[in-house]
Amino acid sequence: MTLTYVEDLKDKPKALAKNLIDEWGKLHAGTPTVLWHYTSKKGFEGMLSNTELWLTNAKFLNDTSELDYGIELIKATLLSMKSRYASPTTQEFLESESVSIEVASMLFGAYVFCLSEPDDLLSQWDRYADRSNGYSLGFRAADIVKERPHLKLRKVEYEESTQTLIIERIAEQFCDLLERELDPSVERKYNDIVLRDFGNAMLDVFIQHLYCFKHRGFREEQEWRLVETLGPVSGASKLLYRDSGSLTNVPYVKENMGVPSPSG
């Protein structure tokens, strides 16, 4: 009976995760016609000569604290939700996931290419285009992902209140499902398997959101991100490494895209 119980529950958190990820994707459907990438002269020449985009691991972006911001917000939100549930198992689940999100973000890498809605933003020229000596390159949003199902265009969310509501909604749905389905009379070792399956499914959803959360101090960028998410095993064969500024061995992946058009 116990093995059947575990098997019967296995697909339920996976189905919930799929629905939540699909819903998240639909929220990003209204992309602008053109999105802009600010880069140095060297970066532009590299894209032009190789007709490639380089998607960099999100942990190695210009502002290395970006991913930490999202991780800390998810951790804090999950811990703050413990008091909403009387069940010690649900409280334990939330606490465990607040720890696991950091590990999951290290194992399942998000590789991103950053774009903005404004084509002539001073802060972007200064930060990313060699202090205005580089280029702002326009990309037709529909063409970037056309016939490339492994790539997703995602809009960055800057408001912490909105980010928190998103996190809470995800966690609430998993906790509610867990409380409906978990049988406390079943031997603990089998419920531990169920909790692991629920936890892995919820982490899959959070990973899809994590690289879309950014501090509101950057909101003028109106950023979109071209993203490919790779697992620790499946993505290993695609990874390349390069030096970037003061950083060495920065992981990235190449995507053949065709030639971008400079705006100036």
Side-chain angles (χ1 to χ4, degrees), residues 113-160:
F113 181 78
C114 300
L115 301 143
S116 291
E117 292 187 30
D119 65 343
D120 188 16
L121 188 62
L122 180 60
S123 61
Q124 295 290 78
W125 285 112
D126 188 50
R127 287 190 191 119
Y128 309 118
D130 194 21
R131 298 182 182 274
S132 301
N133 292 311
Y135 295 91
S136 170
L137 309 177
F139 292 85
R140 286 189 291 271
D143 290 346
I144 297 177
V145 294
K146 185 178 181 182
E147 298 179 2
R148 298 181 181 92
H150 59 290
L151 298 179
K152 309 296 182 186
L153 264 177
R154 295 291 183 256
K155 187 174 184 178
V156 172
E157 174 57 56
Y158 298 96
E159 293 301 324
E160 184 176 332

Side-chain angles (χ1 to χ4, degrees), residues 48-68:
L48 192 64
S49 61
N50 298 316
T51 65
E52 292 174 341
L53 301 185
W54 291 5
L55 282 68
T56 302
N57 187 294
K59 294 191 288 292
F60 294 84
L61 293 174
N62 293 61
D63 183 357
T64 55
S65 67
E66 282 184 23
L67 209 61
D68 293 337

Side-chain angles (χ1 to χ4, degrees), residues 111 236 239-243 249-252:
Y111 292 80
L239 289 188
L240 299 165
Y241 297 87
R242 62 187 173 89
D243 294 341
N249 295 320
V250 175
Y252 73 102

Side-chain angles (χ1 to χ4, degrees), residues 7-70:
E7 285 299 314
D8 286 347
L9 289 185
K10 189 174 184 179
D11 290 335
K12 292 188 177 182
K14 289 181 179 179
L16 175 57
K18 183 181 184 303
N19 288 339
L20 290 170
I21 291 171
D22 288 346
E23 286 178 13
W24 181 239
K26 291 174 184 176
L27 293 176
H28 302 267
T31 55
T33 303
V34 178
L35 290 167
W36 300 87
H37 177 74
Y38 293 77
T39 188
S40 65
K41 181 180 179 182
K42 181 179 178 181
F44 167 65
E45 289 173 348
M47 282 186 274
L48 192 64
S49 61
N50 298 316
T51 65
E52 292 174 341
L53 301 185
W54 291 5
L55 282 68
T56 302
N57 187 294
K59 294 191 288 292
F60 294 84
L61 293 174
N62 293 61
D63 183 357
T64 55
S65 67
E66 282 184 23
L67 209 61
D68 293 337
Y69 167 81

Side-chain angles (χ1 to χ4, degrees), residues 143-252:
D143 290 346
I144 297 177
V145 294
K146 185 178 181 182
E147 298 179 2
R148 298 181 181 92
H150 59 290
L151 298 179
K152 309 296 182 186
L153 264 177
R154 295 291 183 256
K155 187 174 184 178
V156 172
E157 174 57 56
Y158 298 96
E159 293 301 324
E160 184 176 332
S161 58
T162 303
Q163 296 162 354
T164 301
L165 286 173
I166 291 169
I167 296 166
E168 288 178 340
R169 179 175 177 271
I170 293 167
E172 282 172 357
Q173 293 195 56
F174 275 99
C175 288
D176 291 348
L177 180 62
L178 182 64
E179 293 202 329
R180 288 197 305 270
E181 300 293 344
L182 196 73
D183 185 349
S185 68
V186 172
E187 192 175 350
R188 175 63 193 239
K189 67 179 181 179
Y190 294 107
N191 272 336
D192 283 346
I193 297 172
V194 173
L195 288 167
R196 181 199 65 197
D197 290 341
F198 270 74
N200 288 340
M202 188 163 79
L203 288 175
D204 284 345
V205 181
F206 280 139
I207 289 297
Q208 298 295 322
H209 290 69
L210 184 58
Y211 50 75
C212 294
F213 291 166
K214 201 168 179 178
H215 191 277
R216 72 188 309 270
F218 296 96
R219 63 190 181 280
E220 70 170 0
E221 295 177 355
Q222 300 177 57
E223 185 178 349
W224 289 73
R225 289 179 167 176
L226 183 67
V227 184
E228 181 172 6
T229 306
L230 299 176
V233 177
S234 61
S237 62
K238 296 191 67 172
L239 289 188
L240 299 165
Y241 297 87
R242 62 187 173 89
D243 294 341
S244 177
S246 61
L247 300 176
T248 59
N249 295 320
V250 175
Y252 73 102

